[in-house]
Amino acid sequence: MSFMKKQQGSQPLDFSGGLVDFGCFLAWSERIKLDMSKSNPLLYEVLGRLASSKHPIAGGDNFQTKAGQASFLNQKSHQHSGEDRAKEAKELQIRNEGRQLGCLLVQRTKGETQLRATKWLSATNGWEVWRQLNLSFLSRLLDSLLHMSFDESPASCLQQLSAWKERAVLYQKLSGEQLPESIMMSIT
């Protein structure tokens, strides 16, 4: 079964953080992006970029978008010109969308992943929780690639190699990084 298998039905997808079915994470992640983009279509792309961002999104009261990502600023505007009001309205919108994202992530996770999401949300913001959940999944996915064991029977080994290659493609797609050639050669 391919990792691209998606859950059917209109029920919200919950993610427990496990690696049993990679398709579950993909479907869950896609559903979160689609749900958030209903109110602001740009959020689909922003969440895609944040998912593999290496830079933390620090908490703060005031922030603005930069290069399609939420970046937080710790400065207050003391002037109230029309431009300042527009900037404050945009910052408020981003803060509210971050809160909405954080609540959605806590609602759509379960088990240990839900506990981590709740803990992260209390210390930061929904944007950072999204990034952390994605990086946590990528870390476990990479670990599974590096430590996958293969059976000795040729038929089983071929199936396992195919599964490994699917995981490698998934990792490269989600992280935006190529696996080092030395890892690829050691497996194939």
Side-chain angles (χ1 to χ4, degrees), residues 1 8 16 22-23 47 89 99 102 127 160 162 171:
M1 179 79 42
Q8 299 295 322
S16 65
F22 294 105
L47 291 172
R99 287 186 192 115
W127 305 109
Q160 290 169 333
S162 176
Y171 177 81

Side-chain angles (χ1 to χ4, degrees), residues 76-86 88:
K76 301 248 181 201
S77 173
H78 296 292
Q79 299 174 341
H80 294 291
S81 68
E83 187 176 298
D84 290 336
R85 285 190 199 112
E88 288 173 7

Side-chain angles (χ1 to χ4, degrees), residues 82-117:
E83 187 176 298
D84 290 336
R85 285 190 199 112
K87 180 181 175 185
E88 288 173 7
K90 183 65 176 168
E91 290 171 353
L92 179 61
Q93 177 188 355
I94 294 169
R95 258 197 319 274
N96 288 337
E97 289 169 339
R99 287 186 192 115
Q100 180 184 1
L101 175 61
C103 291
L104 187 61
L105 293 173
V106 169
Q107 290 172 354
R108 299 271 177 89
T109 52
K110 55 187 175 183
E112 181 66 30
T113 302
Q114 186 177 49
L115 293 174
R116 280 187 289 149

Side-chain angles (χ1 to χ4, degrees), residues 16-72:
S16 65
L19 288 175
V20 175
D21 181 7
F22 294 105
C24 179
F25 176 79
L26 291 177
W28 174 84
S29 177
E30 184 71 12
R31 186 64 194 199
I32 296 292
K33 291 189 290 186
L34 289 172
D35 285 352
M36 288 298 297
S37 67
K38 287 178 184 174
S39 64
N40 181 349
L42 296 175
L43 289 179
Y44 187 90
E45 182 182 343
V46 169
L47 291 172
R49 289 181 185 182
L50 289 176
S52 60
S53 174
K54 304 293 186 258
H55 306 290
I57 302 163
D61 283 341
N62 291 343
F63 50 93
Q64 65 182 6
T65 59
K66 180 177 181 182
Q69 297 182 358
S71 62
F72 298 87

Side-chain angles (χ1 to χ4, degrees), residues 8-20:
Q8 299 295 322
S10 60
Q11 290 292 339
L13 299 170
D14 292 334
F15 181 65
S16 65
L19 288 175
V20 175

Side-chain angles (χ1 to χ4, degrees), residues 157-177:
C157 188
L158 286 175
Q159 287 177 336
Q160 290 169 333
L161 181 59
S162 176
W164 187 92
K165 286 180 179 179
E166 285 184 2
R167 289 181 186 185
V169 167
L170 175 61
Y171 177 81
Q172 291 172 354
K173 176 183 173 188
L174 295 177
S175 71
E177 298 176 354

Side-chain angles (χ1 to χ4, degrees), residues 130-188:
W130 171 256
R131 191 184 77 85
Q132 288 292 331
L133 286 172
N134 279 275
L135 290 179
S136 177
F137 177 79
L138 282 174
S139 174
R140 283 182 269 149
L141 179 57
L142 181 59
D143 188 57
S144 78
L145 287 168
L146 297 174
H147 298 99
M148 190 170 185
S149 59
F150 293 89
D151 292 341
E152 292 184 26
S153 75
S156 180
C157 188
L158 286 175
Q159 287 177 336
Q160 290 169 333
L161 181 59
S162 176
W164 187 92
K165 286 180 179 179
E166 285 184 2
R167 289 181 186 185
V169 167
L170 175 61
Y171 177 81
Q172 291 172 354
K173 176 183 173 188
L174 295 177
S175 71
E177 298 176 354
Q178 294 292 328
L179 284 173
E181 191 67 30
S182 59
I183 293 174
M184 297 296 286
M185 290 179 66
S186 69
I187 300 295
T188 58

